[in-house]
Each structure stands twice: as structure tokens, then as C-alpha cells.
């Protein structure tokens, strides 16, 4: 960091802006690999497309869930009451309550739909967090700072998608095999999907995308002219969860 940047950060600390996560103040670079462009994250806008036709072809598939669980140290408490969810499945009729109708494909109605944090363009969870433990990066990823989270759960109440989970107990004893490359959480902390931002920083695709044997998940920069996700969304019909709320989810479902 040069002297000018240092003085800028020091100045911000006196105005209170230092409470903004440091990661937001520094440029971030990703590297060319797996189709991810080499530009600063501030110039990108990540999005995901879920092809429900491909997803429904493999019964009881857990490729994406298992990969996410393994990489992010997600505990298994053995009961739904304490369940921690980053990506999970739910019936189509529950996910798209207002969009299922008599002519919806039967195979879609029966197949479980993968759901996760929608990394909304206008995330209500960010607005209600009193400690700024959750915030939205310029590339659209809604982040969590586990050290800032005070466990008030305002974000859980504000999220219309149920995409956040609360650690009612110490999760560490319930992690099957700890990945030392990703932090574990503590009792009293909220967590959720982060679009694998730690992998994006290394030029890798999100773990769920990489693990999907059906190639049903497509992730990329929706602003890039030649990105695959942009091309898919341009030519295929897609829906978003509860789009009428105005949150503008960036997880799209291809029908």
C-alpha cells in the first residue's frame, strides 16, 4: 500500500468509515481460470443460473449440497430445528408459491429445487443489521463478518427467502471433517451462502457449480459480454424467487 492509500484509510478511520469492512476499501483481483475474467471485482456482477430441467434428471442428487457442506465447514446437528443451511432443496410449489400453475411441467413440480442466498441487488438483510456484520460488495455478493455478528437475527427476520441460519449451539463438534482453509463459526452467529467468494478470489468457480454432475448450475459475470450465464439468461426463460418484492435476486431459475 502506498503512502497516499495509507493516509486515506487513516482519514476514514477518524470519520467512522473504518467500521466498513476493510475488504470493501481495497481493490481485489481474480485470476483467469475456469472462465473467470481477470478484472477487479468492483467491475463485475456475479449471478447464477439454475437449470431446473437438468437438475431434475438425477434423483436424490446432493452434489452441490455435499460440496458446499464440506468446503464451508457446515455442521450437521442431526435435527431440522438446528439445521445450518447454505444451499438446500425445497419443493417447487414452496419455492415458487406464486408461480406454479396447472400447466407447470409435472417433472418440475416433483423435483426438489436447490435454493440458497439470492445475493439480492437490494438486500433487506443488509439494511437491518445494526453492526454492519452483513454488507453487500460492489460485485453483488452479500457478505457476513462472523466476528461482528452479535446474533440479534434481524437479518433472518428481514430475509424473505429463509436463506440464513443461526448457530444455537457450538457448531464445531458437529463438523465431520474441518476444512482448515475456511473459518468455523461459533454459537450465536448467523451464517449463509457467500457465493464461494474465497474461491472466486483464487479464480475458482463456486464449489456447488464445480461439483454439479448435471451441469445444471452456471455462474459468472453477468456484465461480461461473452459470459455463459449472461448468454443463458438472454435466450432462456427464467424466473426469480418472489421477484415482486423488489429485492432483485441474482439467482435465476431456467425453466
Amino acid at each position: 500500500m502506498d503512502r497516499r492509500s495509507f493516509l486515506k484509510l487513516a482519514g476514514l478511520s477518524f470519520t467512522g468509515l473504518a467500521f466498513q469492512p476493510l475488504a470493501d476499501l481495497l481493490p481485489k483481483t481474480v485470476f483467469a481460470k475456469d472462465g473467470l475474467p481477470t478484472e477487479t471485482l468492483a467491475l463485475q456482477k456475479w449471478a447464477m443460473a439454475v437449470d431446473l430441467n437438468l437438475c431434475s434428471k438425477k434423483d436424490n442428487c446432493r452434489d452441490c449440497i455435499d460440496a458446499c457442506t464440506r468446503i464451508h465447514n457446515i455442521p450437521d446437528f442431526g435435527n431440522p430445528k438446528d439445521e445450518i443451511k447454505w444451499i438446500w432443496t425445497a419443493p417447487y410449489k414452496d419455492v415458487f408459491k406464486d408461480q406454479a400453475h396447472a400447466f407447470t411441467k409435472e417433472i418440475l413440480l416433483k423435483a426438489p429445487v436447490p435454493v440458497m442466498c439470492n445475493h439480492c441487488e437490494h438486500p433487506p438483510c443488509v439494511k437491518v443489521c445494526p453492526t454492519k456484520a452483513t454488507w453487500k460488495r460492489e460485485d453483488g455478493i452479500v457478505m457476513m463478518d462472523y466476528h461482528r455478528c452479535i446474533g440479534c437475527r434481524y437479518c433472518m427476520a428481514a430475509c424473505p427467502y429463509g436463506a440464513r441460519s443461526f448457530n444455537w449451539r457450538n457448531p464445531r463438534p458437529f463438523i465431520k471433517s474441518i476444512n482448515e482453509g475456511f473459518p468455523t463459526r461459533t454459537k450465536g452467529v448467523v451464517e449463509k451462502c457467500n457465493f464461494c467468494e474465497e474461491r472466486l478470489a483464487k479464480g475458482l468457480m463456486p464449489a456447488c457449480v464445480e461439483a454439479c454432475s448435471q451441469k445444471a448450475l452456471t455462474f459468472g459475470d453477468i456484465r461480461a459480454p461473452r459470459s455463459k450465464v449472461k448468454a443463458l439468461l438472454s435466450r432462456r426463460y427464467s424466473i426469480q424467487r418472489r421477484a415482486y418484492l423488489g429485492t432483485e435476486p441474482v439467482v435465476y431459475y431456467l425453466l
Side-chain angles (χ1 to χ4, degrees), residues 77 81-82 84 153 156 166-170 187-189:
F77 290 111
K81 175 179 173 294
D82 296 330
I84 302 295
R153 290 172 287 146
M156 295 178 67
F166 183 70
N167 284 286
W168 293 96
R169 294 188 283 168
N170 178 12
K187 178 182 177 181
V189 169

Side-chain angles (χ1 to χ4, degrees), residues 31-141:
F31 304 94
K33 190 175 182 180
D34 294 333
L36 296 176
T38 52
E39 296 179 359
T40 60
L41 293 179
L43 299 177
Q44 298 165 329
K45 185 67 72 178
W46 302 118
M48 181 176 287
V50 182
D51 190 327
L52 293 182
N53 292 287
L54 293 175
C55 196
S56 62
K57 289 185 177 179
K58 185 178 179 182
D59 294 336
N60 304 315
C61 181
R62 288 182 51 90
D63 291 346
C64 55
I65 298 172
D66 291 342
C68 180
T69 297
R70 183 175 60 256
I71 295 233
H72 295 122
N73 294 323
I74 298 174
D76 180 7
F77 290 111
N79 69 77
K81 175 179 173 294
D82 296 330
E83 185 179 15
I84 302 295
K85 299 184 295 186
W86 283 41
I87 179 170
W88 70 104
T89 59
Y92 185 96
K93 287 183 177 179
D94 293 342
V95 176
F96 303 109
K97 290 180 180 178
D98 55 332
Q99 298 178 68
H101 51 71
F103 300 100
T104 302
K105 293 179 183 176
E106 187 175 350
I107 191 172
L108 295 182
L109 292 175
K110 291 182 177 179
V113 176
V115 287
M116 65 202 83
C117 171
N118 283 277
H119 297 277
C120 305
E121 184 65 27
H122 307 293
C125 55
V126 170
K127 293 180 181 177
V128 300
C129 180
T131 63
K132 306 302 179 188
T134 187
W135 77 100
K136 180 170 169 280
R137 301 196 324 190
E138 291 185 13
D139 61 0
I141 297 179

Side-chain angles (χ1 to χ4, degrees), residues 169-240:
R169 294 188 283 168
N170 178 12
R172 289 170 179 157
F174 300 92
I175 300 171
K176 291 181 180 178
S177 178
I178 291 181
N179 170 20
E180 300 293 343
F182 194 79
T184 57
R185 280 70 73 192
T186 59
K187 178 182 177 181
V189 169
V190 172
E191 58 182 273
K192 68 170 197 70
C193 159
N194 67 350
F195 262 176
C196 280
E197 58 87 19
E198 78 283 358
R199 289 173 58 86
L200 296 179
K202 297 176 182 177
L204 300 173
M205 281 287 177
C208 56
V209 176
E210 190 174 271
C212 180
S213 58
Q214 299 301 301
K215 306 300 180 189
L217 305 180
T218 303
F219 181 88
D221 179 8
I222 203 168
R223 289 178 177 168
R226 292 187 291 179
S227 78
K228 188 176 179 181
V229 67
K230 182 176 182 179
L232 276 174
L233 295 175
S234 298
R235 72 171 189 270
R236 294 276 303 275
Y237 178 68
S238 64
I239 58 177
Q240 299 157 289

